[in-house]
Amino acid sequence: TEQQFEREAETVADVTVSADMTDLGTEGSVFGNDLLVYADLESPAFRDATERLESEFGDITVENPDAEDAAAFGDVDSERLADMATHLVEMLDTVLVEWDGTEWDSLSDDQQQTILQQARASWGITGLLKAWGEITLAIREDYDELEARVESFRSPERRGTR
């Protein structure tokens, strides 16, 4: 019935809203660092960041994957690469829930920035791109697994009706 559907929707909203970010996050490992990330794909800030990445840096490609960091991008201006690295680090900051088992929000802003700057310096621009590739893959795999679980509970006659 309509009332039952509304009650179920409210229950789901209550569970989701009250869920701990560690329950919602995706685990992954990037260059030996265990990360827990949560990308709110409906968040305007996250959506804007990903769209900006595409609009401002979408034309930048790795031309020589075996080359050292900036050289991998051919003739791309180093200032543009630095801007892209900054943007990737800022995006990383928005999705982190835990870094090597430590809750991201429990760290001071200075500690967070130190970790992010160490990652940027250690990984370089190509490493940041690889890190985002690993994070994206882990999130996609989590969503695919969740979708498969949800579909397994739906009967063929109800599929797509809710």
Side-chain angles (χ1 to χ4, degrees), residues 76-155:
V76 177
D77 179 76
S78 62
E79 192 171 315
R80 252 186 107 212
L81 289 176
D83 289 345
M84 186 169 83
T86 298
H87 187 71
L88 291 168
V89 167
E90 289 169 355
M91 287 178 60
L92 182 60
D93 188 26
T94 67
V95 300
L96 283 169
V97 177
E98 289 182 2
W99 185 290
D100 284 333
T102 301
E103 283 189 36
W104 193 246
D105 288 343
S106 72
L107 299 171
S108 70
D109 288 342
D110 287 343
Q111 290 171 315
Q112 291 175 358
Q113 290 309 307
T114 298
I115 292 168
L116 292 170
Q117 292 312 310
Q118 286 175 347
R120 179 179 175 171
S122 298
W123 301 347
I125 184 68
T126 53
L128 286 168
L129 286 172
K130 288 177 184 178
W132 267 106
E134 291 295 321
I135 290 167
T136 303
L137 179 63
I139 291 170
R140 180 76 258 162
E141 288 173 351
D142 251 14
Y143 282 136
D144 289 347
E145 183 181 316
L146 176 62
E147 186 176 31
R149 278 189 272 158
V150 169
E151 286 300 315
S152 74
F153 284 100
R154 298 179 109 181
S155 64

Side-chain angles (χ1 to χ4, degrees), residues 14-40:
D14 288 344
V15 170
T16 301
V17 169
S18 64
D20 188 313
M21 291 304 288
T22 57
D23 295 331
L24 294 171
T26 297
E27 294 178 350
S29 180
V30 177
F31 304 118
N33 301 281
D34 294 326
L35 305 181
L36 181 66
V37 296
Y38 178 72
D40 181 357

Side-chain angles (χ1 to χ4, degrees), residues 45-61 80 83-84 87-88 91 129 132:
F46 185 76
R47 196 174 292 165
D48 289 348
T50 56
E51 288 173 3
R52 179 176 166 237
L53 184 65
E54 176 60 30
S55 68
E56 291 186 26
F57 307 109
D59 62 317
I60 297 176
T61 59
R80 252 186 107 212
D83 289 345
M84 186 169 83
H87 187 71
L88 291 168
M91 287 178 60
L129 286 172
W132 267 106

